[in-house]
Amino acid sequence: MPNPRLTGLGSGVFCTASMFALACLDWLLFGASVIVYGVLFLPVCALTALWVRRADLVTAVVAIPIAFAIGLLPIADSDGGFLGRLTNLVTVLAMHAGWLYGGTLIAGLIVTVRKVRLMSRRAAQRRAAAQAASQAAQSAQAAPQPATRQKSPAQPRRRTA
């Protein structure tokens, strides 16, 4: 499996573009089935949460609901023009919010596990660095100090002519 690291914006674009393309494919092959769209939404959520950079983990969870709503545009078609399409979009969002909650929950769990692992890894690195520093300080104190040569008071040089 590839290991891309998407930025926050990149993960949002990936999720949104994937869901829109899958919705168009669903519309062509399955006649705009929201169930098929919801099933396809779950792995996209998992991939988005797995592929986002460590610094942008929170953005994956924010981008997922936006991608779900934008992806529904081809599925929520209506003959009533813009307002009819908008009404149908809101209806589909309300009736199939379980898919949205499930995908967001999957992404949230993956992001949380990744964040906890990152925090524990950093804490272990800090502990190792502190332990190495304390061992270095102890070894520096225990090592015999080299004898330093004491300087005699400086006497002026005599000039000889």
Side-chain angles (χ1 to χ4, degrees):
M1 181 154 92
N3 194 18
R5 290 294 167 217
L6 300 172
T7 63
L9 180 62
S11 66
V13 169
F14 164 75
C15 191
T16 303
S18 298
M19 289 317 302
F20 190 79
L22 289 173
C24 291
L25 190 65
D26 177 26
W27 179 71
L28 287 173
L29 298 177
F30 300 106
S33 171
V34 181
I35 303 298
V36 172
Y37 177 77
V39 169
L40 293 173
F41 176 66
L42 300 179
V44 171
C45 293
L47 287 176
T48 302
L50 286 172
W51 287 351
V52 71
R53 292 186 317 177
R54 292 180 187 133
D56 299 324
L57 284 173
V58 175
T59 59
V61 180
V62 173
I64 287 173
I66 297 167
F68 185 81
I70 291 175
L72 280 176
L73 289 174
I75 294 175
D77 59 347
S78 176
D79 296 335
F82 176 74
L83 288 178
R85 182 178 292 267
L86 184 64
T87 304
N88 199 15
L89 176 68
V90 171
T91 303
V92 170
L93 279 170
M95 297 298 293
H96 299 282
W99 294 110
L100 176 61
Y101 295 149
T104 307
L105 179 65
I106 287 171
L109 288 174
I110 291 172
V111 164
T112 302
V113 167
R114 285 185 64 198
K115 185 66 173 181
V116 167
R117 288 181 63 207
L118 176 66
M119 289 170 37
S120 65
R121 194 175 305 137
R122 284 185 183 166
Q125 288 173 350
R126 280 193 302 267
R127 281 192 303 268
Q131 186 179 15
S134 69
Q135 285 177 354
Q138 288 175 356
S139 66
Q141 288 176 352
Q145 298 293 328
T148 57
R149 204 171 99 187
Q150 302 247 342
K151 288 186 177 179
S152 60
Q155 294 180 359
R157 288 189 180 184
R158 290 187 193 178
R159 283 191 175 189
T160 57

